[in-house]
């Protein structure tokens, strides 16, 4: 089914969510509503699956809809529109650099046309590259001067050719023997635009990747300040200078081997039904089945269902497609045993969790369906029995289990994303940057035999508990012997519930981890091995959001709101645990740019004893290549 | 604002991407809280719209592998870690004892020889919609050869420390054991999977699709022969709406093919309506061109033309149904059934053979069609989804199609009522009766003609009545009665409503009014033996003995092996003094259900009434052995022991004890008194016997045959004689 876009009534309400409004804007410029897109995308699509679910309940606990107040517009839309159209023009010019790189950087005339006559940039001395690591991955950067920008060659040593600048920038990608890459990819993202005073300035993130036939691969990731000479119509601005803010390159020589290899096809043993199901995307199935969640929020769980010491996988699927239980065999391949196990559920299910609910030594399974949680008891021999439906957790996204009260059994936490169960328009997140009209998260206490009771309120977890919660993760952050809970919320501030003998208190603000943004995912690790748990929260980085929210004319009379909006577009957050409170090291640690991020995990993928980070990302890749 | 907002939504619907083709990121920890971007060289930077990410050392080779769940194809990526570095590892599986068995929340600290430590906590569920392995893998950096120290802090508070642990092994740590166990994978099992991703197949934009679930086709005004457009109706079993144009050559050859196969298709119940888009599709051709083309083709089926607004409407529809708001390709055909429900879309030229196959499949249930569509089976937990008509009503209203908006609005009302109804069923399952009641009332408010909601509300109210305080019960029952009556009004042959009506009438103590609905229910479902038994007993209760027994006899004929029915029938026969018949019925029933105590008791009664005291006393003794408080068996046994002609059965002492026990347990009806009297008389205590017998006679109506029999016994006692049961005398416990 096509995503259930909000009822037009909700569009009207959107106008009062604190967002700037001005009628007729869209007709004038096609780009100025990009921010609106950013701001509304999740509501428009991310939650679409819910609307299809069975009828509505006149529930208590759903906050009464707030009466929107009309906020006077303090945003200069002409300025934003100009910014966005300049960005389009600049991106169009940068595309020529992309083409030139991908065609092998041969004919420099290809990009001479986009440089101004007085172009100049400091030469980059490859000798100045500092090697941060040389085992396996080779990581090099340009060291920063005290002023913050990298220490390049002597200031007087400048180049006047754009091609020279780029050849120097991409030098670390080159093969010493002069071999051409088998594959090259270039991606520009303009994250800041300053057009008030000429020359125009853009802050641009560039990523270039090259892979050679022998298996060697290398990438350059840099942030550049580009000054543009504005032409009369602004359609084709010319590059006047390039300054480097950040420069980093990673290289993995073929002789060092490769890191990850996709072996899915052999993993599922070419089972035709499985291949058929999983080699088609969500949208294929929507077009076949006329239903389904456009946003594709379907996860997976890894666990050992049959106790043979090998992990198995449970894959959650949209409505109309069966979930899959993939059981690992001796040869490392899997056999689909979903039907045998009674787990070939056709209902829309977002996530699942293996855990031993009754301490009997086998893995039971919890599955988040749209209107309830399904609790399956392992009866041995890979057969599971639906034991109970837990109705309190509706519209649940991520699930987690932990023994919050240290009584020797596992309790359940389920994130309820939206307070919406079928009838009427989907509730808009309100207010947009701090929405508190979402669903209810539920903590279920286990009586030791796998009987669960909703204790959310009595343990203090109903505080800050009507957010659009995506994910939660447990950790004893204060190292006092009981588990604390971090909850990542879409559209606003997150919660850190500190556990004191089974009673919770939200300490996110005092611990400085509210991370008021679009929280999607949370994971813990001790990344600096100081014994204090550290926290990684994924959000959505938005180039458009960054460009627009930093304009002087954006929410000019609400500086606090403006800075919140800037933060919301920033990206992922890494918080370093400390003795007193957490320290936000997202920017200096270089882990913030995770794009539109979803599940993000600490993973020590090179076994060096330091946890790395992997970010799953991307929102909607659709048939028409144009990206909004 | 609204305009810009809907413009954005429109672009999405037209198939635009939004933060699409973004590449997954990987950041390498350099120590000192610095990370390097290795997204691409790590090989993880796919553009899959990834969502879930789970971590596991799948192959137990000491490094962790990654599994991604994606929105776009392929939906699953198993990324095996081939990192070749010489970094050592160690991994642990935890088994809790005082702590939870999975060991969730345990902190494991690995300390290498140089004193540097790494601590990890085991958790279940992290990231987004993801759960990673419960096996905890530690990379050891370069300290490959060195022994390590392992410390576990269990949630229970217990701390275990293991010194001089060898790296490069997989261990199991059990909370209650002070030894590590090595659980390395056997090497012979190690197989290498060959590289290869799942293919990315299927372009969602060019698919034929079967409508699942089905949905009403929009209003379609068709102009024929220069007449003003008339809405299309669907009288054939299936109608194939074929969109064609005179400029479209594939359309023309397809029409030719349809014309050739028309007879055969018609026999399968198919009608064809060819709708020309000439003059409406922006091409230069006109309706006159279409007419010429149609004449040339000599179409045996009807054709007409549609206008631009209708084509635009179909584009809107496509956007909603298949996520792509673009005009359908030419030709496109849409299969519509007799109810006006769309059943299939064929984009491009239809293969007549495929069409024939589909026609034979479409009568199947929706779920079977789903299975066929996906070739993937499975089962639903909740109710399968339905089309959200409200959304279509809004869409068409906003886009200037009031007729369609009205059609879908109508459907939406009923549909929303059904959603409330389904929700109510769930609430009832969760034992939230008050919620269920308000949901059902919402459903009825939206669609008063939705009979199931009335029915379930009726059932719910009857349940609630039994929990209500006595003063309110009648009121709640009356409300239930109204719902059943409404259900019956909407659906006169609704069996459940009819039974409900009978039931609630009985509860309202108006049994006479229960007869008619129950009789009607039995006309609907003649095999419903429970209802027939209920009706039979009701009639007997109403003193319509003959009719009652007849109903039960019929129940017995249709369910001869059912002990419930046999018991009811047998007891009715006893009540109507058809003892021989009762005995025959109950003997057969007892043979079938030898261990059913009711049957056993009834059989004993019938044996007694037919004079077989010996068998009867045996059965009563057995019943008493099973239930020593069974006063009925006591009294009957007492009667036999006091009055049986067979001296072997006589036992005046026991008779007296049983009857006294029964009377002191509260049995003080005329039969109990007579039994006591008989026992006293058998023991020679005639004055007391006369006293009890007189008391019994006070309670027996004078015209009853029991009265004269009792009177005869009184005479005997007065004469100092005990009573002996004769075959013709009525036994006090049974009708005569």
């Amino acid at each position: 089914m096509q995503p259930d876009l909000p009822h037009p009534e909700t569009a009207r309400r959107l106008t009062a969510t604190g967002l700037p409004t001005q009628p007729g804007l869209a007709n004038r410029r096609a780009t100025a509503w990009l921010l609106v897109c950013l701001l509304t995308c999740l509501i428009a699509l991310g939650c679409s699956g819910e609307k299809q679910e069975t009828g509505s309940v006149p529930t208590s606990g759903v906050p009464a809809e707030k009466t929107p107040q009309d906020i006077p517009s303090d945003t200069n839309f002409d300025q934003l529109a100009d910014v966005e159209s300049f960005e389009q023009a600049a991106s169009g010019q940068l595309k020529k650099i992309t083409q030139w790189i991908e065609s092998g950087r041969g004919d420099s005339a290809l990009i001479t046309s986009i440089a101004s006559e007085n172009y100049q940039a400091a030469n980059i001395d490859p000798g100045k590259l500092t090697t941060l690591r040389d085992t396996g991955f080779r990581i090099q950067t340009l060291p920063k001067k005290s002023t913050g920008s990298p220490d390049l060659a002597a200031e007087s040593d400048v180049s006047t050719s754009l091609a020279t600048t780029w050849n120097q920038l991409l030098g670390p990608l080159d093969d010493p023997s002069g071999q051409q890459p088998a594959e090259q990819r270039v991606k520009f993202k303009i994250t800041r635009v300053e057009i008030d005073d000429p020359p125009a300035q853009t802050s641009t993130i560039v990523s270039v990747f090259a892979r050679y036939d022998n298996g060697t691969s290398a990438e350059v990731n840099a942030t550049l300040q580009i000054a543009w000479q504005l032409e009369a119509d602004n359609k084709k601005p010319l590059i006047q200078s390039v300054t480097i803010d950040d420069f980093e390159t990673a290289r993995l020589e073929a002789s060092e081997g490769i890191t990850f290899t996709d072996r899915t096809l052999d993993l599922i043993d070419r089972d035709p039904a499985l291949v058929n199901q999983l080699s088609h995307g969500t949208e294929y199935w929507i077009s076949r089945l006329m239903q389904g969640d456009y946003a594709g929020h379907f996860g997976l769980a890894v666990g050992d269902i049959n106790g043979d010491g090998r992990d198995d996988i449970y894959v959650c699927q949209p409505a109309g497609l069966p979930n899959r239980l993939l059981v690992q065999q001796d040869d490392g391949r899997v056999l689909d045993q979903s039907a045998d196990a009674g787990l070939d559920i056709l209902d829309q299910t977002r996530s699942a969790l293996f855990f031993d609910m009754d301490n009997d030594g086998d893995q039971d399974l919890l599955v988040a369906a749209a209107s309830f949680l399904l609790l399956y008891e392992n009866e041995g021999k890979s057969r599971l029995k639906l034991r109970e439906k837990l109705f309190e957790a509706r519209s649940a996204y991520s699930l987690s289990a932990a023994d919050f009260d240290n009584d020797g059994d596992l309790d359940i936490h389920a994130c309820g994303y939206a307070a919406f169960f079928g009838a009427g328009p989907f509730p808009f997140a309100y207010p947009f940057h701090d929405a508190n009209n979402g669903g209810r998260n539920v903590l279920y206490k286990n009586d030791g035999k796998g009987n669960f009771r909703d204790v959310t309120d009595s343990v203090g977890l109903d505080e800050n508990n009507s957010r659009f919660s995506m994910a939660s993760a447990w950790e004893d952050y204060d190292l006092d012997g009981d588990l604390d809970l971090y909850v990542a919320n879409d559209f606003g501030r997150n919660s850190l519930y500190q556990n004191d003998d089974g009673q919770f208190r939200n300490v996110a603000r005092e611990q400085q981890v509210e991370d008021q943004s679009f929280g999607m995912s949370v994971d813990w690790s001790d990344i600096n091995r100081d014994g204090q748990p550290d926290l990684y929260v994924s959000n959505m980085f938005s180039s458009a959001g960054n460009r627009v929210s930093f304009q002087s004319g954006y929410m000019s009379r609400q500086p606090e709101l403006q800075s919140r909006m800037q933060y919301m577009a920033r990206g992922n957050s890494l918080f370093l645990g400390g003795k007193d409170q957490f320290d936000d090291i997202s920017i200096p640690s270089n882990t913030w740019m995770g794009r539109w991020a979803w599940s993000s995990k600490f993973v020590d993928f090179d076994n060096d004893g330091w946890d790395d980070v992997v970010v799953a990302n991307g929102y909607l890749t659709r048939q028409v290549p144009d990206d909004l | 604002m609204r305009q810009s907002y809907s413009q954005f939504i429109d672009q999405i619907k037209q198939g635009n991407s939004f933060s699409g083709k973004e590449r997954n990121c990987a950041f390498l920890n350099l120590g000192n809280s610095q990370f390097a971007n290795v997204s691409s060289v790590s090989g993880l930077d796919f553009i899959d719209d990834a969502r879930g990410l789970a971590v596991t050392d799948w192959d137990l080779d000491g490094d962790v592998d990654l599994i991604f769940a994606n929105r776009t194809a392929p939906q699953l990526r198993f990324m095996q870690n081939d990192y070749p570095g010489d970094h050592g590892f160690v991994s642990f599986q935890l088994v809790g004892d005082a702590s939870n068995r999975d060991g969730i929340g345990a902190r494991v600290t690995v300390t290498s020889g140089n004193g540097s430590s790494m601590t990890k906590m085991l958790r279940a569920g992290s990231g987004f919609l993801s759960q990673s392995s419960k096996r905890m893998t530690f990379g050891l950096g370069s300290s490959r050869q060195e022994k390590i120290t392992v410390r576990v802090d269990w949630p229970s508070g217990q701390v275990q420390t293991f010194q001089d642990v060898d790296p490069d092994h997989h261990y199991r740590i059990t909370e209650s054991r002070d030894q590590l166990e090595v659980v390395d994978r056997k090497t012979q099992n190690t197989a290498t999977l060959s590289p290869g991703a799942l293919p990315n197949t299927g372009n969602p934009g060019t698919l034929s699709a079967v409508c699942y679930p089905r949905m009403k086709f929009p209003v379609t005004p068709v102009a024929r022969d220069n007449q003003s457009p008339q809405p299309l109706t669907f009288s054939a079993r299936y109608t194939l709406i074929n969109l064609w144009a005179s400029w479209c050559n594939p359309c023309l050859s397809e029409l030719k093919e349809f014309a050739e196969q028309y007879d055969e298709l018609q026999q399968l119940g198919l009608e064809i309506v060819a709708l020309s888009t000439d003059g409406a599709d922006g091409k230069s051709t006109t309706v006159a061109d279409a007419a010429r083309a149609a004449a040339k083709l000599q179409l045996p089926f009807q054709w007409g033309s549609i206008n631009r607004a209708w084509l635009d409407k179909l584009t809107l529809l496509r956007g909603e149904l298949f996520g792509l708001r673009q005009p359908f390709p030419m030709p496109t055909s849409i299969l519509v059934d007799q109810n006006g429900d769309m059943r299939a879309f064929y984009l491009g030229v239809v293969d007549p053979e495929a069409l024939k196959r589909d026609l034979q499949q479409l009568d199947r249930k929706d779920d079977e069609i789903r299975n066929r569509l996906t070739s993937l089976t499975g089962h639903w937990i909740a109710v399968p989804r339905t089309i959200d008509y409200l959304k279509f009503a809004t869409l068409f209203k906003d886009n200037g199609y009031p007729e369609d908006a009205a059609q879908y609005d109508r459907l939406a009302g009923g549909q929303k009522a059904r959603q409330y109804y389904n929700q109510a069923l769930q609430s009832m399952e969760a034992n939230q009766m008050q919620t269920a009641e308000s949901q059902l009332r919402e459903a009825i408010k939206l669609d008063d003609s939705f009979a199931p909601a009335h029915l379930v509300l009726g059932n719910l109210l009857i349940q609630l009545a039994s929990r209500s305080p006595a003063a309110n019960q009648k009121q709640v029952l009356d409300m239930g009665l109204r719902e059943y009556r409404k259900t019956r009004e909407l659906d006169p042959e609704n069996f459940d409503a009819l039974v409900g009506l009978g039931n609630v009438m009985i509860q309202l103590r108006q049994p006479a009014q229960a007869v008619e609905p129950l009789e009607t229910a039995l006309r609907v479902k003649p095999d419903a033996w429970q209802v027939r038994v209920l009706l039979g007993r009701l009639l007997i209760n109403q003193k319509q003995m003959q009719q009652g027994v007849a109903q039960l006899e019929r129940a017995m004929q249709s369910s001869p092996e059912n002990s419930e029915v046999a018991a009811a029938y047998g007891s009715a026969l006893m009540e109507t003094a058809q003892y021989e018949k009762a005995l025959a019925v109950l003997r057969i029933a007892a043979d079938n259900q030898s261990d059913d105590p009711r049957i056993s008791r009834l059989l004993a009664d019938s044996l007694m009434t037919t004079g077989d005291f010996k068998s009867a006393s045996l059965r009563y003794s057995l019943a008493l052995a099973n239930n020593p408080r069974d006063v009925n068996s006591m009294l009957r046994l007492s009667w036999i022991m006091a009055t049986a002609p067979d001296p072997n059965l006589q036992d005046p002492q026991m008779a007296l004890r049983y009857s006294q026990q029964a009377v002191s347990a509260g049995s003080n009806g005329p039969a109990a008194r007579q039994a006591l009297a008989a026992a006293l008389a058998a023991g020679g205590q005639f004055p007391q016997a006369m006293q009890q017998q007189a008391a019994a006679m006070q309670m027996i109506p004078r015209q009853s045959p029991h009265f004269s029999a009792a009177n005869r016994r009184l005479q005997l006692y007065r004469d100092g004689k005990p009573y002996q049961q004769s075959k013709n005398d009525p036994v006090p416990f049974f009708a005569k």
Side-chain angles (χ1 to χ4, degrees), chain B residues 326 343 388 397 400 408 410 462 524 595 611 623 711:
Chain B
Q326 286 173 4
R343 304 302 302 279
D388 181 359
K397 196 183 313 173
Y408 293 120
R410 228 174 12 253
I462 302 312
V524 177
D595 50 357
N711 201 27

Side-chain angles (χ1 to χ4, degrees), chain A residues 558-575:
Chain A
Q558 302 172 85
E560 197 202 328
L561 194 53
Q562 180 183 17
S563 66
R564 280 192 179 156
M565 290 300 188
Q566 290 166 357
Y567 188 88
M568 290 186 85
R570 183 185 78 171
N572 295 352
S573 300
L574 177 58
F575 296 101

Side-chain angles (χ1 to χ4, degrees), chain B residues 426-559:
Chain B
Q426 271 183 21
S427 300
M428 286 170 76
E429 194 181 340
N431 208 20
Q432 297 161 353
M433 296 301 172
Q434 305 294 341
T435 314
E437 186 186 346
S438 60
Q439 285 160 342
L440 288 167
R441 294 203 183 280
E442 283 297 320
I444 290 168
K445 205 156 64 181
L446 283 164
D447 183 1
D448 192 46
S449 67
F450 183 38
H454 288 289
L455 175 66
V456 173
L457 181 56
N459 291 342
L460 178 70
L461 287 166
I462 302 312
Q463 271 191 55
L464 288 177
S466 65
R467 301 180 195 177
S468 304
N472 295 345
Q473 252 178 28
K474 185 175 178 312
Q475 196 192 345
V476 181
L477 285 171
D478 278 335
M479 281 159 58
L481 181 67
R482 273 201 297 280
E483 296 307 322
Y484 286 135
R485 286 200 170 132
K486 180 77 188 175
T487 313
R488 187 176 182 184
E489 190 184 307
L490 292 164
D491 181 4
E493 303 228 311
N494 188 310
F495 174 79
D496 294 314
L498 291 163
V499 174
L501 268 178
N503 219 327
V504 75
M505 284 302 183
I506 292 169
Q507 290 197 43
L508 283 166
R509 296 180 209 291
Q510 302 171 24
Q513 300 203 46
V515 173
E516 184 276 329
L518 292 178
E519 281 175 346
T520 314
L522 283 168
R523 274 200 293 280
V524 177
K525 272 194 196 174
D527 289 342
W529 60 266
Q530 296 98 325
V531 178
R532 204 168 287 286
V533 167
L534 180 66
L535 177 63
R537 298 174 66 123
L538 183 68
L539 288 166
I540 288 168
N541 177 278
Q542 298 287 297
K543 301 288 170 216
Q544 303 179 36
M545 297 297 188
Q546 231 176 332
Q547 292 95 319
V549 173
Q551 288 295 346
L552 293 168
E553 189 170 5
R554 223 180 128 183
M556 192 71 200
Q557 283 160 1
S558 62
S559 317

Side-chain angles (χ1 to χ4, degrees), chain B residues 113-147:
Chain B
N114 64 14
S116 78
S117 292
M118 172 78 189
T119 302
K120 291 180 196 254
M121 194 198 87
L122 182 59
R123 56 180 62 83
S126 58
F128 173 62
L129 307 178
S130 302
Q131 178 181 25
S132 294
S133 177
K134 292 198 180 77
R135 172 166 292 283
M136 304 173 82
T137 303
F138 288 73
L140 299 177
S142 53
S143 50
R144 172 152 232 167
Q145 308 302 325
E146 294 174 13
K147 298 208 183 248

Side-chain angles (χ1 to χ4, degrees), chain B residues 320-449:
Chain B
E320 291 309 303
L321 290 181
F322 305 115
L324 199 58
R325 191 183 281 186
Q326 286 173 4
F328 281 106
M330 293 293 280
T332 283
S333 300
I334 305 154
L335 197 59
V336 180
D337 69 15
Q338 219 162 357
N339 299 322
D341 285 332
M342 298 181 281
R343 304 302 302 279
F345 279 82
Y346 301 94
L347 310 191
V349 174
V350 178
D351 169 8
E353 294 311 311
L355 179 62
K356 285 176 207 163
R357 274 199 304 278
D358 283 353
L359 284 172
Q360 281 155 5
Q361 307 257 23
L362 281 172
D363 286 340
R364 293 174 184 220
K365 288 186 183 145
D366 279 5
D367 238 28
E368 288 174 37
I369 295 174
R370 188 213 65 86
N371 289 348
R372 191 175 66 84
L373 265 179
T374 58
S375 42
L376 303 168
T377 55
H379 71 276
W380 292 97
I381 303 287
V383 195
R385 291 176 167 196
T386 49
I387 291 282
D388 181 359
Y389 279 122
L390 188 64
K391 194 178 71 177
F392 287 92
T394 310
L395 175 80
F396 287 120
K397 196 183 313 173
D398 286 356
N399 286 281
Y401 298 97
E403 273 181 89
D404 294 284
Q407 164 174 309
Y408 293 120
D409 243 338
R410 228 174 12 253
L411 292 162
Q415 185 178 44
K416 223 156 98 184
R418 279 154 187 79
Q419 285 179 347
Y420 274 113
Y421 169 77
N422 289 333
Q423 201 71 45
L425 295 184
Q426 271 183 21
S427 300
M428 286 170 76
E429 194 181 340
N431 208 20
Q432 297 161 353
M433 296 301 172
Q434 305 294 341
T435 314
E437 186 186 346
S438 60
Q439 285 160 342
L440 288 167
R441 294 203 183 280
E442 283 297 320
I444 290 168
K445 205 156 64 181
L446 283 164
D447 183 1
D448 192 46
S449 67

Side-chain angles (χ1 to χ4, degrees), chain B residues 165-288:
Chain B
V165 175
D166 286 321
D168 293 338
H169 288 290
H170 303 285
Y171 294 99
R172 181 187 295 123
I173 305 179
T174 306
E175 190 176 7
S176 55
R177 286 193 203 168
D178 50 13
Q179 289 294 318
L180 290 176
E181 295 166 77
V182 176
V183 288
D184 286 348
R185 185 174 178 169
K186 291 188 181 64
T187 45
Q188 65 263 33
N189 287 337
T190 309
T192 316
L193 301 178
S194 43
L198 286 176
N200 179 347
T201 35
N203 178 354
T206 60
L207 268 180
S208 296
V210 174
C211 294
Y212 171 82
R214 53 192 79 182
M215 177 194 166
K216 284 273 178 292
F217 194 61
V219 179
T220 306
V222 180
R224 295 188 180 96
D225 306 327
N226 295 324
Q227 306 283 308
S228 66
Q230 295 295 319
L232 199 57
T233 55
F234 306 100
S235 50
R237 202 156 72 93
Y238 291 106
T239 304
L240 188 74
I241 299 173
N242 175 251
L243 301 184
W244 67 285
S246 63
W247 51 261
C248 159
N249 284 328
C251 299
L252 299 179
S253 28
E254 184 188 40
L255 281 174
K256 199 162 161 241
E257 175 98 37
F258 284 151
E260 282 162 13
Q261 307 231 9
Y262 183 52
D263 286 345
E264 198 182 334
L265 290 169
Q266 257 192 325
Q267 274 167 20
L268 290 169
L270 186 81
E271 191 48 72
I272 297 176
V273 179
L275 297 184
S276 144
T277 66
D278 289 276
D281 54 22
K283 297 277 195 296
S284 58
T285 54
T286 64
V287 177

Side-chain angles (χ1 to χ4, degrees), chain A residues 430-450:
Chain A
Y430 176 90
F432 173 74
H433 62 282
D434 197 9
N436 213 348
N437 58 340
R440 176 173 180 266
N441 305 334
V442 181
L443 180 72
Y444 285 102
K445 179 175 159 46
N446 190 343
D447 73 351
K449 297 174 188 140

Side-chain angles (χ1 to χ4, degrees), chain A residues 2 4-6 8 15 26 37 41 52-57 136 185 209 219 248 256 258-266 277-280 282-283 287-291 294-297 299-300 302 310-311 317 320 322 324 328 330 332 342 344 346-348 353-356 359 363 389 394 398 400-401 408 471 474-475 520-522 524 527 529 589-590 595-596 598-599 601 605-607 609 611-613 615 617-622 624 626-628, chain B residues 1-2 4-5 7-9 12-29 33-35 37-41 45 49-51 56 58 62 71 73-75 77-78 80-84 87 100-102 107 116-117 120-121 123-124 126-131 133-134 139 141 185 189 191 193-194 196-197 199 201 207-209 212 319-320 322-323 370 376-382 385-386 391 394 398 419-420 423 429 439:
Chain A
Q2 172 68 21
D4 291 283
L5 302 162
T15 61
C37 309
C41 54
Q52 290 280 317
E53 294 315 312
T54 50
S56 133
V57 201
R185 289 199 300 260
F209 169 67
E219 64 186 291
E248 183 186 270
E256 300 278 354
I258 46 175
T259 322
F260 288 100
T261 308
D262 189 335
R263 297 199 169 92
T264 321
L265 190 60
D266 210 14
Q277 180 171 353
L278 299 173
S279 64
H280 294 88
T282 313
E283 292 200 26
S287 66
R288 275 309 257 174
L289 297 171
M290 293 194 2
Q291 58 182 342
Y294 242 55
H297 294 323
L300 78 171
V302 165
R310 299 175 211 291
D311 273 334
Q317 289 280 282
R324 293 296 197 162
Q328 188 177 174
D330 280 354
D344 54 348
L346 291 172
D347 301 54
Q348 168 180 294
L353 195 75
F354 289 107
F355 73 122
D356 185 353
N359 287 332
Q363 291 292 296
K389 293 179 191 166
R394 322 193 57 153
S398 302
S400 58
W474 298 84
E475 173 62 88
M520 313 283 205
S521 158
V522 51
W524 294 90
I527 61 125
R529 296 167 54 168
S589 68
N590 195 27
R595 308 181 198 281
W596 193 307
W598 302 101
S599 199
K601 292 284 304 165
F605 52 70
D606 60 346
N607 271 356
D611 264 357
D612 314 304
V613 172
V615 180
N617 65 26
Y619 187 35
L620 296 174
T621 305
R622 306 208 52 214
V624 179
D626 285 358
D627 204 298
L628 297 176
Chain B
M1 181 67 184
R2 171 166 169 182
S4 57
Y5 172 75
Q7 189 172 348
F8 158 66
I9 296 301
I12 291 280
K13 286 188 177 171
Q14 282 158 23
N16 278 282
S17 300
F18 187 24
S19 280
K21 297 204 171 160
E22 289 197 336
R23 294 186 178 278
N24 297 333
C25 296
F27 302 114
L28 182 72
N29 191 338
S33 308
Q34 294 280 320
F35 290 76
N37 190 340
V38 293
S39 305
S40 296
V41 295
D45 64 338
D49 297 349
R51 294 289 181 269
T56 163
W58 181 262
R71 193 190 85 92
Q75 285 194 63
R77 277 198 201 272
F78 168 65
Q80 204 162 21
N81 193 338
D82 292 336
Y83 192 78
H87 295 153
N100 67 84
R101 182 91 174 230
D102 280 343
R107 308 180 75 79
S116 78
S117 292
K120 291 180 196 254
M121 194 198 87
R123 56 180 62 83
S126 58
F128 173 62
L129 307 178
S130 302
Q131 178 181 25
S133 177
K134 292 198 180 77
R185 185 174 178 169
N189 287 337
L193 301 178
S194 43
T201 35
L207 268 180
S208 296
Y212 171 82
E320 291 309 303
F322 305 115
R370 188 213 65 86
L376 303 168
T377 55
H379 71 276
W380 292 97
I381 303 287
R385 291 176 167 196
T386 49
K391 194 178 71 177
T394 310
D398 286 356
Q419 285 179 347
Y420 274 113
Q423 201 71 45
E429 194 181 340
Q439 285 160 342

